[in-house]
Amino acid sequence: SFRALMNFSKASGVFPANAKERGLAGLRVNMPERWLQENRKSDLHNGEEVSNERWVKKVNAIMAAEVPTDLKAEGQDKPPPAPPLSTLRKQLSAAMTHRTSHQRFQSLRDRKIPVTVLTGDLDELVRPINSRVLAEMLQRPVQILEGAGHGLIHQDPSGVNSIIEATIWEGERRRLLVTQARL
C-alpha cells in the first residue's frame, strides 16, 4: 500500500526523517496501528499496563543493547552496530524486483522439505496475497494470523512458535520415515 511504502521509505532513510520519525515509521510498517494502540500488561515495565507501541519500543531497545551470547564468547562486549540505511534500501530493491515461478520451486517440492508460509492478514509490507501465491507455488497451505502485520512474532509469539514447531516436527517425521525406508 502507499502508506506502507511511505513508512518503509522513512524508516529506511529514502525519505528524510529524524530518528523518532524513522522509528515510528518502522513500527507502523511492521505492525497494524490498531495493535500498536492496544494495551498489555508488561513485565518490562514492572507489570504496568502500557501500549503495545511502548512495549515493542522497549523490546527493540533491549535487543539493540544486548550482546548475543556467541559474540560474548568471542570476547565482544558491545552490541553489533545497526545495519546501515543502505542495507534497508537494498532490501527494498530486492523485494520490488523479486520474481518467483512454479518452476523455480520444483526442486524444493521434489525434496518434500516441509515449508511454512506464514503471514499476518494485516501485513502491509508483504501483502497476504503474495504469501498465498508463494504457498501455491510451494504446494503448501498458507498460515494466516488474524490481526497481525509483518511483525507478527511480536504480536503473536506463541502462535508463531507453535506453527514453526509443527513444521519442525513434520520435518523430523519425514526424516524418520526416509531413514526407516532405507533400512
Side-chain angles (χ1 to χ4, degrees), residues 64 76 78-84:
Q76 294 196 25
K78 293 181 182 173

Side-chain angles (χ1 to χ4, degrees), residues 1-182:
S1 74
F2 179 75
R3 186 176 73 198
L5 183 59
M6 293 300 293
N7 280 325
F8 188 87
S9 297
K10 284 182 183 178
S12 64
V14 171
F15 290 158
N18 63 40
K20 184 177 181 179
E21 289 172 330
R22 275 198 312 272
L24 287 173
L27 288 179
R28 290 192 172 101
V29 79
N30 282 291
M31 288 105 174
E33 187 69 36
R34 182 180 71 225
W35 182 83
L36 287 169
Q37 300 310 314
E38 291 173 359
N39 288 335
R40 68 166 52 214
K41 189 173 182 176
S42 171
D43 292 337
L44 300 175
H45 297 87
N46 299 316
E48 183 182 335
E49 182 116 344
V50 299
S51 70
N52 283 324
E53 181 177 326
R54 184 173 171 201
W55 175 81
V56 80
K57 284 179 182 177
K58 182 113 180 197
V59 167
N60 289 342
I62 290 168
M63 288 181 3
E66 287 185 350
V67 178
T69 307
D70 56 334
L71 294 180
K72 280 183 186 177
E74 294 174 9
Q76 294 196 25
D77 59 350
K78 293 181 182 173
L85 292 177
S86 61
T87 300
L88 292 172
R89 290 186 195 112
K90 289 175 186 173
Q91 184 180 6
L92 176 61
S93 175
M96 293 178 76
T97 59
H98 180 71
R99 300 291 177 258
T100 59
S101 70
H102 193 74
Q103 185 177 16
R104 289 181 73 183
F105 288 108
Q106 188 61 47
S107 66
L108 195 56
R109 287 191 308 272
D110 289 346
R111 292 168 62 195
K112 301 197 183 320
I113 295 170
V115 175
T116 295
V117 179
L118 179 59
T119 188
D121 68 330
L122 301 177
D123 191 336
E124 290 189 0
L125 197 56
V126 178
R127 303 297 297 171
I129 188 67
N130 295 338
S131 297
R132 287 184 187 100
V133 169
L134 182 62
E136 185 177 301
M137 287 185 198
L138 289 164
Q139 295 175 342
R140 298 289 295 176
V142 63
Q143 303 281 329
I144 302 172
L145 294 179
E146 299 296 319
H150 195 71
L152 47 88
I153 188 68
H154 289 303
Q155 294 177 262
D156 187 2
S158 61
V160 171
N161 287 342
S162 66
I163 291 168
I164 292 171
E165 184 178 11
T167 304
I168 292 168
W169 281 114
E170 180 183 350
E172 288 299 310
R173 182 184 60 76
R174 288 183 185 192
R175 185 181 60 81
L176 183 61
L177 290 173
V178 168
T179 302
Q180 289 174 344
R182 290 181 182 162

